[in-house]
Amino acid sequence: MAPAETRMTRMRRALVMLDARWRTLAREPEEGAATAEYAVVLVAATGFAAVLVALLKSDAVKTLLTNIVKKALNV
């Protein structure tokens, strides 16, 4: 096979692979994005839960909630 034919064969093969890759990306453009977004949401939710636990353990919030429950039960 002549060098020019070899180059053409390689170029065709590369174009076919590129075309296949583009078609795959067009079908599933955000394949890994869902997992990354899920991880970010989990980290944010965990942080929010930690803040809520810290607030609920504070004496001021405990007193406030206790007073609300006492008022609700006295009615």
Side-chain angles (χ1 to χ4, degrees):
M1 196 181 291
E5 289 178 36
T6 305
R7 274 188 237 125
M8 287 299 290
T9 303
R10 278 192 234 146
M11 285 176 55
R12 282 191 188 118
R13 188 177 304 138
L15 284 173
V16 167
M17 294 300 288
L18 183 63
D19 181 54
R21 182 67 182 142
W22 277 109
R23 288 174 191 262
T24 302
L25 287 174
R27 236 181 303 141
E28 302 167 5
E30 299 178 3
E31 187 175 305
T35 304
E37 290 166 0
Y38 183 66
V40 169
V41 168
L42 281 178
V43 169
T46 304
F48 186 66
V51 169
L52 284 177
V53 167
L55 280 174
L56 291 175
K57 284 187 173 184
S58 70
D59 289 334
V61 174
K62 280 183 185 178
T63 305
L64 179 66
L65 291 175
T66 304
N67 289 338
I68 290 172
V69 171
K70 283 181 181 177
K71 277 186 178 181
L73 293 176
N74 286 334
V75 172

